[in-house]
């Protein structure tokens, strides 16, 4: 079982930056594929970014390309989401997720979420 705890959310003005962190309980977290999702009020949860176990494969949603960066620190069992040039439409609850590496897209492990609010 993997427990994920997000932090770093908050209120920021448009154009500003935030860095989200997701700390994992599992010592094998480095072998997992990690991802960030978000859910805005009244909308479905959507994919934001993903990073495979080696860091050699990274994917971003078109809406965040060039502004957000996903990264990891294996020594700290932590994955990050650096968010720059934030827009009001980035306002959402952000969740980190993880799954064992390999084929398949389902993420069985989720954090509780952290609120990001971008004011115009």
């Amino acid at each position: 079982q993997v427990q994920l705890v997000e932090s770093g959310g908050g209120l920021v003005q448009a154009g500003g930056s935030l860095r989200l962190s997701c700390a994992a309980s599992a010592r094998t977290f480095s072998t997992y594929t990690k991802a960030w999702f978000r859910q805005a009020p009244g909308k479905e949860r959507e994919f934001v970014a993903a990073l495979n176990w080696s860091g050699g494969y990274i994917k971003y949603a078109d809406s965040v390309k060039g502004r957000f960066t996903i990264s990891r620190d294996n020594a700290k069992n932590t994955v990050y989401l650096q968010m720059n040039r934030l827009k009001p439409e980035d306002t959402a609850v952000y969740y980190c997720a993880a799954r064992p590496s390999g084929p398949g897209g389902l993420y069985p492990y989720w954090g509780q979420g952290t609120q990001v609010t971008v004011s115009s």
Side-chain angles (χ1 to χ4, degrees), residues 54-74:
S54 69
Y57 176 79
I58 297 176
K59 183 177 180 179
Y60 295 99
D62 288 343
S63 59
V64 306
K65 277 182 184 176
R67 300 187 299 121
F68 290 11
T69 303
I70 187 171
S71 63
R72 77 207 193 285
D73 185 334
N74 288 337

Side-chain angles (χ1 to χ4, degrees), residues 2-113:
V2 178
Q3 292 183 324
L4 304 173
V5 179
E6 301 100 334
S7 61
L11 173 64
V12 63
Q13 287 188 331
S17 299
L18 282 174
R19 188 176 81 156
L20 306 183
S21 300
C22 174
S25 61
R27 286 177 292 177
T28 57
F29 189 60
S30 62
T31 67
Y32 284 64
T33 294
K34 299 91 165 167
W36 288 93
F37 291 78
R38 66 187 182 186
Q39 187 166 20
K43 295 187 177 181
E44 294 194 353
R45 188 175 297 185
E46 65 174 0
F47 168 80
V48 175
L51 174 72
N52 77 336
W53 70 274
S54 69
Y57 176 79
I58 297 176
K59 183 177 180 179
Y60 295 99
D62 288 343
S63 59
V64 306
K65 277 182 184 176
R67 300 187 299 121
F68 290 11
T69 303
I70 187 171
S71 63
R72 77 207 193 285
D73 185 334
N74 288 337
K76 296 182 178 180
N77 279 349
T78 300
V79 61
Y80 303 98
L81 185 68
Q82 177 67 44
M83 306 185 294
N84 298 328
R85 292 185 282 135
L86 282 160
K87 305 175 181 180
E89 50 264 44
D90 294 319
T91 294
V93 177
Y94 283 71
Y95 299 89
C96 91
R99 63 176 178 86
S101 294
L106 295 180
Y107 288 85
Y109 305 113
W110 293 83
Q112 82 288 351

